[in-house]
Amino acid sequence: MSDAPKGQMDLNGVDPLAGKEFTVRKRDGRQEQFNDQRIYLAIESAFKADLGINQDQPLDLEDQAKVQTVTSDVVQKTISRAVHGEQLEVECIQDWVETQLMDAGYHSIARRYILYREEQKKKRALRGEKNVDGVESTPLYMINQDGQRVLLDLQKLRRKVIRACRELETVCSSQEITDEAIQNLYDGVKEAEADQALIMAAKARIEREPAYSFVSARLLLDSIYREVLQEDFNHVDLKSLHREGFKQYIDFGIEKGRLTPDLKAYDLDKIANAIVLERDLSFTYLGLQTVYDRYLTHHEGRRIETPQFFWMRVAMGLASNEENKVERAIEFYNVLSQFYFVSSTPTLFNAGTLHPQLSSCYLSTVMDDLDHIFKVVSDDARLSKWAGGLGNDWTNVRATGGHIKGTNGTSQGVIPFLKVANDTAVAVNQGGKRKGAMCAYLETWHLDIEDFLELRKNTGDERRRTHDMNTANWIPDLFMKRVRQSEKWTLFNPSETPDLHDLYGAAFEQRYEEYEALAAAGKLVQHKEVEAVDLYRRMLTMLFETGHPWFTFKDPSNIRSPQHHTGVVHSSNLCTEILLNTSDQETAVCNLGSVNLVRHISKDKSGIDEVRLEQTVTTAIRMLDNVIDINYYPTPEARNSNLKHRPIGLGLMGFQDALYEIGVSYASMEAVEFADVSMESISYYAILASTKLASERGTYETYPGSKWSEGLLPIDTINLLEQQRGGFVDMDRTMTKDWDTVRAAVLEHGMRNSNTMAIAPTATISNISGVSQSIEPAYKHLFVKSNLSGEFTVNNVYLINELKKRGLWDEEMIDDLKYYDGSIETIDRIPDEVKHLFITAFELESRWLIECASRRQKWIDMGQSLNLYMSKPDGKALANMYQFAWEKGLKTTYYLRSLAATQIEKSTMDINKRGLQPRWMKSKSASSEIEVNREISQAPTPKACSITDPDCDACQ
């Protein structure tokens, strides 16, 4: 075949490879000159066999052209690999032929070629051919998934890895992965162990080349397909196997009680044909392993759904009440499976099952009554069982020393009950799928507040410690003003001040001062006067030392609430983004999901793709609204509240990725502006989508009297907050869209949902989607993430790509990242503009996070889970930071993440090999200064701990 390509022509039409020769290593170790004619003949033979043509007869011209094209592609790839120094092997070339036939769509011919190779392998075995070392090979056997002892086909393993590296060959070496994995195999190895050896070999290379994450994921996919489809398959069969297997999966799942029979009401042929198998290739290893371990439905330890079955099951579950359910299910599937929008974890767990508990968060108010206290504890257990995150308001419970009228005794206060609640969350661990998760809220004037602050301390009476439960301060504006003015603050027993907890704004201030006057006059039995600044300092100290209690602000949460007319917001939820009314009759429920912001960046990377975003948000709002009607409610109070008000919480994730895509540093006004306009767009389309649903399905029950019904949108309520506070509000109020159109639509059609937006942490669903969490800045550029699925190397792909462009990504850079704990701040050879773009969380001044959050908050009708960062103790900076957050109109904050005692020790490094440490590492212990004369490459990758990276995934 003389016209087969020998290489790429240069600009003068000259083949730069002309005259060069390459050799191919045969199976017995001999070297032979590369001959492209053999490739052509092998492909031609497969074509003839498939067409039923005798091997002595020629192909027609059209088929000859097809053979020629495939051969040219294979030869080009072969020569390219040889030019880059790779040793050509006959098995690898045959693998490339097989791959190219499949890529070209010649699936049946590829089968013929595979069969031909198998026949030749058997013939070689019968002939007793020698291996590379010149001796007869001793075959290895493995135990397959049916328990049978079968020949271990090393070439099949090699082909599997080559497929996994497809289109990544320039940066990923299939040969390296296979060679390393084979070294760990033995006679009698289990098939799953052989698969795992390949995955681990690929996974070990992720820190040096992020593309290996996709290779690892694809290798895991092979295992999942075999486990679910229950047969040894060729990749050419996968699509048809998925189509045929989908109906079997539905039938089996229903039969075994894992899926709802309602799924049989769909046109399953049409549904199965809508599955796009190629979307499996979008998973990173962390994302796919998380899906495999925690989301794929299983029966008796075996997964019964593939990733695309999983997405379709969720979509069908969410469309079950739709009139045109097939079309809606496909619409939902297309949004989910392409990571445009991802529903929260409970929805992904339970949609399409017999117990569709799809809601994320439950908020309860505990009344000052023994029966009600234990009713809430019991409710918490039921809610936690079905994967709900819990937020409990305990402010009503009388303080320590309070009088118990029924027994004429003295109360032990709220702390012992919190211990009971803590242990309940530990015992009922969300159906065995993840840890139970709960947050307790207490208002800052409660007499037990000082003991409450110490609940997470590691010292003291263990009976008064809650090591597994989150805690949060529910702070009135008046307290923050007293701190600013260095005034006194009075603590009360709620049994003597029963109305304070239900008041906010100016009404709260007036009543609070009246109670202070009563206390001064000796008309209250229990009260305590403290310096507001001293209490504030204790709050900050505990927050820095233990991560709790969080700072959440009562008044903006209530004053800006659309539902001011139907009750009071008494607390937030587990992750501080949900702000809904609660009472003894209503357990507030919220249904969450997040838009993947980076998937909505325009092609020219100038900003948001508004068309795509509108489509995604409109579909997402519909999906979230459907949750309310489909949902399984563990308690009547939850059902009552959710059906009456229909709140949903649309959030976002991938904000940091979006900034990277548009080339903007988080530490800049450009980032603040982007936070503003991106959230404005989400808010705009979310409110319009809910209004559109209201015109189709009707408004929520308590819409009359709401702020919506008065024509007040979230942006309009900032003035109300400023009026109630008497100032102290510094929020931007500019807008870029036509909000009059939205107001008019709301007034005409109403709203389907009382609340529409809340930004949750997205710890798990962002892992699945392969993007940064929520609105978080980059944590580090290289670290190890630990979760229930194991340990995963996480590196910053955007940074690595930038360093590659500049010729800076090498072994030394990897070692530098390890030494500097994932920071590039003090690596001299990295330009300043790159350092500025890729600033990390502990290098970023907190004011940028708060400024961005403030711009978002003006558009959101609930709140946002906002983490703040501090690298070393600084009381003044910490005090100013939370004052700044309050003045910027934030409703809540979340974790304060610090680096205290979390850095890896450098005892395996020669620290003199490198220069200054990043400024946020200055306070490390002396033990890290020990020098042992070893290479830095032996150092471990920085690892995130529970405080610096809590990975709280109870909401999403």
Side-chain angles (χ1 to χ4, degrees):
M1 194 187 67
S2 59
D3 54 348
K6 298 295 183 182
Q8 295 289 345
M9 299 296 180
D10 64 19
L11 295 177
N12 298 315
V14 178
D15 184 354
L17 302 179
K20 292 187 179 181
E21 294 184 354
F22 303 101
T23 59
V24 179
R25 187 168 69 173
K26 306 292 284 186
R27 295 177 184 84
D28 60 4
R30 291 181 294 110
Q31 299 284 343
E32 286 191 359
Q33 185 175 343
F34 173 64
N35 184 353
D36 55 6
Q37 182 69 17
R38 292 187 176 183
I39 297 175
Y40 182 90
L41 292 175
I43 297 172
E44 181 187 53
S45 178
F47 266 80
K48 289 179 178 180
D50 187 64
L51 294 169
I53 298 174
N54 190 294
Q55 291 295 326
D56 296 331
Q57 296 177 339
L59 294 170
D60 61 29
L61 292 177
E62 182 179 354
D63 288 328
Q64 286 182 36
K66 293 177 181 177
V67 174
Q68 174 80 33
T69 300
V70 176
T71 304
S72 297
D73 290 339
V74 174
V75 171
Q76 184 64 58
K77 176 179 287 189
T78 303
I79 293 177
S80 175
R81 302 292 279 270
V83 169
H84 287 87
E86 184 170 328
Q87 169 65 61
L88 299 180
E89 296 184 4
V90 65
E91 286 286 352
C92 287
I93 295 174
Q94 291 182 346
D95 289 339
W96 297 334
V97 171
E98 181 183 320
T99 299
Q100 195 60 45
L101 285 169
M102 288 190 288
D103 286 349
Y106 303 135
H107 295 161
S108 60
I109 298 168
R111 290 192 192 94
R112 291 286 185 180
Y113 188 75
I114 293 168
L115 291 173
Y116 167 77
R117 293 183 68 183
E118 291 297 320
E119 291 169 0
Q120 294 302 308
K121 183 171 68 175
K122 291 176 183 177
K123 290 177 182 178
R124 289 193 297 274
L126 292 173
R127 291 196 298 267
E129 290 187 357
K130 311 293 183 182
N131 64 14
V132 174
D133 299 320
V135 297
E136 290 189 13
S137 301
T138 301
L140 295 179
Y141 287 85
M142 74 174 182
I143 309 301
N144 67 14
Q145 59 184 5
D146 296 324
Q148 298 174 326
R149 183 177 170 85
V150 298
L151 188 67
L152 177 59
D153 189 342
L154 298 181
Q155 293 307 322
K156 183 177 179 181
L157 292 181
R158 188 181 298 278
R159 289 198 298 272
K160 182 186 293 187
V161 179
I162 288 174
R163 281 195 302 269
C165 293
R166 189 180 304 169
E167 298 182 1
L168 301 172
E169 294 93 343
T170 58
V171 291
C172 298
S173 171
S174 60
Q175 185 170 335
E176 286 184 12
I177 296 172
T178 309
D179 289 348
E180 180 179 324
I182 288 174
Q183 294 177 16
N184 296 313
L185 301 183
Y186 57 92
D187 189 47
V189 67
K190 293 181 180 179
E191 188 171 16
E193 291 176 331
D195 290 339
Q196 192 64 22
L198 295 175
I199 293 171
M200 295 305 291
K203 176 184 174 183
R205 289 163 168 76
I206 293 174
E207 71 173 27
R208 285 168 166 75
E209 173 47 62
Y212 278 107
S213 181
F214 292 104
V215 175
S216 303
R218 294 172 186 180
L219 292 170
L220 177 57
L221 277 171
D222 267 11
S223 300
I224 295 173
Y225 293 155
R226 190 172 59 250
E227 180 179 351
V228 173
L229 301 175
Q230 289 286 283
E231 59 180 287
D232 203 4
F233 57 88
N234 293 317
H235 273 253
V236 293
D237 301 321
L238 268 178
K239 290 184 180 179
S240 59
L241 284 173
H242 267 70
R243 286 194 296 270
E244 296 162 6
F246 185 75
K247 288 191 288 186
Q248 298 172 11
Y249 148 69
I250 296 294
D251 289 338
F252 183 82
I254 292 172
E255 176 190 346
K256 298 303 180 182
R258 296 293 179 264
L259 303 178
T260 174
D262 294 345
L263 300 184
K264 293 285 285 185
Y266 286 85
D267 181 341
L268 296 181
D269 288 321
K270 192 170 183 179
I271 289 287
N273 285 328
I275 290 175
V276 183
L277 190 59
E278 289 78 7
R279 291 174 186 168
D280 279 347
L281 302 181
S282 298
F283 283 107
T284 62
Y285 176 61
L286 169 58
L288 186 63
Q289 189 69 60
T290 302
V291 168
Y292 176 80
D293 287 340
R294 302 165 65 183
Y295 293 87
L296 298 184
T297 301
H298 56 87
H299 175 68
E300 295 182 350
R302 179 179 75 84
R303 273 64 180 175
I304 65 173
E305 61 185 11
T306 68
Q308 295 307 309
F309 287 3
F310 155 66
W311 290 127
M312 188 60 83
R313 184 254 299 166
V314 175
M316 293 167 70
L318 292 176
S320 60
N321 286 358
E322 296 276 3
E323 291 184 9
N324 52 342
K325 61 180 60 184
V326 171
E327 290 74 16
R328 288 298 184 188
I330 294 172
E331 175 189 344
F332 297 168
Y333 165 79
N334 286 331
V335 167
L336 291 167
S337 62
Q338 296 182 83
F339 304 147
Y340 288 129
F341 163 87
V342 180
S343 300
S344 64
T345 284
T347 303
L348 301 182
F349 277 167
N350 301 321
T353 70
L354 292 173
H355 292 281
Q357 196 302 103
L358 314 180
S359 296
S360 303
C361 304
Y362 295 88
L363 289 73
S364 304
T365 285
V366 183
M367 306 309 292
D368 188 31
D369 173 81
L370 192 63
D371 289 338
H372 193 259
I373 289 171
F374 282 96
K375 179 187 185 307
V376 171
V377 170
S378 176
D379 288 350
D380 284 348
R382 292 185 176 89
L383 297 168
S384 182
K385 174 182 178 180
W386 297 108
L390 309 174
N392 288 340
D393 156 41
W394 291 89
T395 300
N396 286 319
V397 177
R398 74 193 68 183
T400 303
H403 179 63
I404 303 174
K405 183 177 180 181
T407 64
N408 198 30
T410 301
S411 172
Q412 295 186 76
V414 71
I415 304 301
F417 295 117
L418 293 175
K419 176 65 173 175
V420 174
N422 175 88
D423 294 345
T424 301
V426 173
V428 186
N429 63 341
Q430 302 205 12
K433 292 187 176 182
R434 58 182 180 176
K435 296 178 182 178
M438 177 185 296
C439 184
Y441 286 78
L442 200 70
E443 201 157 342
T444 315
W445 51 261
H446 195 291
L447 257 174
D448 284 344
I449 191 67
E450 292 170 303
D451 289 332
F452 182 78
L453 297 180
E454 298 186 345
L455 282 171
R456 293 294 296 259
K457 287 183 67 173
N458 290 322
T459 58
D461 186 349
E462 280 297 302
R463 293 169 298 181
R464 300 180 70 81
R465 296 291 178 264
T466 58
H467 299 298
D468 306 283
M469 182 172 70
N470 300 312
T471 58
N473 285 297
W474 192 236
I475 305 171
D477 281 350
L478 181 60
F479 176 75
M480 298 301 290
K481 288 193 278 188
R482 293 274 180 97
V483 171
R484 285 176 62 93
Q485 296 157 1
S486 298
E487 295 178 348
K488 301 287 187 179
W489 181 250
T490 308
L491 308 180
F492 297 110
N493 188 337
S495 62
E496 294 187 277
T497 58
D499 55 342
L500 271 187
H501 193 36
D502 289 332
L503 298 174
Y504 55 87
F508 171 87
E509 293 193 16
Q510 179 180 341
R511 187 59 171 150
Y512 183 87
E513 290 171 354
E514 290 174 0
Y515 279 124
E516 284 186 311
L518 291 173
K523 296 182 179 180
L524 295 182
V525 176
Q526 285 186 283
H527 57 86
K528 180 180 179 181
E529 190 174 74
V530 298
E531 293 290 341
V533 170
D534 290 343
L535 181 57
Y536 185 58
R537 286 172 179 162
R538 286 193 63 188
M539 293 161 63
L540 293 171
T541 300
M542 286 298 101
L543 183 62
F544 187 83
E545 288 183 4
T546 71
H548 295 85
W550 303 324
F551 274 53
T552 58
F553 302 114
K554 171 184 181 178
D555 291 282
S557 299
N558 275 282
I559 293 167
R560 298 191 62 201
S561 169
Q563 292 292 97
H564 64 289
H565 64 307
T566 59
V568 177
V569 181
H570 289 116
S571 71
S572 187
N573 65 316
L574 172 67
C575 304
T576 76
E577 81 277 14
I578 303 305
L579 297 162
L580 298 171
N581 300 342
T582 56
S583 68
D584 57 344
Q585 300 298 313
E586 292 188 8
T587 295
V589 185
C590 203
N591 318 292
L592 301 177
S594 296
V595 173
N596 186 352
L597 195 59
V598 73
R599 287 271 180 165
H600 296 85
I601 296 298
S602 58
K603 290 182 179 179
D604 63 2
K605 298 186 179 180
S606 61
I608 297 295
D609 180 344
E610 294 280 343
V611 175
R612 175 72 261 174
L613 183 65
E614 181 179 10
Q615 293 170 348
T616 296
V617 170
T618 302
T619 299
I621 292 292
R622 190 177 195 96
M623 293 167 71
L624 291 171
D625 186 65
N626 285 356
V627 166
I628 297 167
D629 298 310
I630 299 166
N631 199 42
Y632 166 81
Y633 293 97
T635 68
E637 291 84 1
R639 178 182 181 84
N640 174 41
S641 175
N642 214 215
L643 292 179
K644 185 184 294 184
H645 310 300
R646 307 187 67 86
I648 56 177
L650 180 68
L652 64 91
M653 58 184 170
F655 180 77
Q656 175 69 91
D657 297 74
L659 290 179
Y660 288 148
E661 283 288 338
I662 63 176
V664 169
S665 170
Y666 215 131
S668 67
M669 280 306 300
E670 290 84 358
V672 174
E673 295 295 335
F674 180 72
D676 195 336
V677 297
S678 58
M679 194 67 236
E680 181 181 12
S681 293
I682 293 173
S683 180
Y684 189 88
Y685 298 126
I687 296 171
L688 282 178
S690 185
T691 296
K692 183 179 179 181
L693 277 179
S695 67
E696 175 187 338
R697 298 173 171 178
T699 63
Y700 68 94
E701 181 181 327
T702 56
Y703 169 76
S706 67
K707 285 186 173 67
W708 302 112
S709 70
E710 298 170 357
L712 291 175
L713 306 181
I715 184 68
D716 303 319
T717 62
I718 298 174
N719 291 336
L720 298 178
L721 176 61
E722 189 170 41
Q723 292 167 11
Q724 290 285 311
R725 273 191 186 173
F728 304 105
V729 177
D730 178 18
M731 295 183 75
D732 179 271
R733 301 175 208 196
T734 59
M735 57 189 76
T736 64
K737 293 188 177 299
D738 178 13
W739 285 94
D740 288 338
T741 298
V742 178
R743 291 185 186 89
V746 171
L747 289 173
E748 180 179 357
H749 302 294
M751 289 286 285
R752 179 64 175 168
N753 313 99
S754 65
N755 300 73
T756 58
M757 288 163 285
I759 299 178
T762 78
T764 309
I765 62 171
S766 60
N767 288 344
I768 293 172
S769 306
V771 299
S772 57
Q773 294 183 24
S774 188
I775 51 178
E776 290 288 281
Y779 172 60
K780 294 178 179 179
H781 298 308
L782 177 65
F783 66 98
V784 172
K785 174 186 282 291
S786 298
N787 61 24
L788 294 179
S789 294
E791 293 192 342
F792 301 87
T793 298
V794 178
N795 45 23
N796 189 331
V797 178
Y798 294 96
L799 171 64
I800 293 172
N801 289 339
E802 182 64 30
L803 294 177
K804 283 180 177 180
K805 289 179 186 177
R806 296 169 180 262
L808 297 174
W809 184 246
D810 51 28
E811 290 294 326
E812 184 179 358
M813 185 63 71
I814 295 169
D815 291 342
D816 282 343
L817 280 174
K818 287 183 177 181
Y819 177 76
Y820 293 120
D821 288 307
S823 170
I824 62 173
E825 186 182 25
T826 54
I827 300 177
D828 291 338
R829 60 192 180 123
I830 296 180
D832 289 342
E833 66 269 18
V834 176
K835 294 178 181 178
H836 181 61
L837 177 59
F838 293 99
I839 192 169
T840 59
F842 290 104
E843 300 158 357
L844 182 66
E845 291 184 24
S846 60
R847 69 183 183 92
W848 294 115
L849 295 172
I850 294 170
E851 287 280 10
C852 286
S854 178
R855 293 294 186 97
R856 293 188 204 96
Q857 190 64 75
K858 71 181 186 180
W859 304 114
I860 303 174
D861 49 40
M862 283 193 281
Q864 50 193 316
S865 296
L866 176 67
N867 292 309
L868 297 172
Y869 296 82
M870 179 160 285
S871 59
K872 55 185 178 180
D874 187 332
K876 183 177 180 180
L878 195 60
N880 291 339
M881 181 166 70
Y882 282 96
Q883 282 281 347
F884 186 56
W886 176 69
E887 291 172 4
K888 280 293 179 180
L890 299 192
K891 297 181 180 180
T892 61
T893 63
Y894 195 26
Y895 278 93
L896 171 67
R897 299 189 182 183
S898 66
L899 281 174
T902 65
Q903 301 306 305
I904 63 168
E905 291 194 1
K906 307 300 187 296
S907 57
T908 58
M909 300 181 182
D910 179 357
I911 65 165
N912 294 325
K913 186 175 179 180
R914 279 157 177 83
L916 295 174
Q917 296 170 335
R919 54 186 167 81
W920 48 265
M921 290 173 56
K922 301 299 184 184
S923 59
K924 298 190 306 84
S925 64
S927 61
S928 66
E929 302 297 323
I930 299 173
E931 179 183 333
V932 178
N933 192 20
R934 297 182 183 178
E935 290 297 317
I936 192 171
S937 59
Q938 298 177 14
T941 301
K943 184 174 179 179
C945 80
S946 60
I947 297 297
T948 58
D949 188 22
D951 195 22
C952 174
D953 59 4
C955 278
Q956 295 206 60

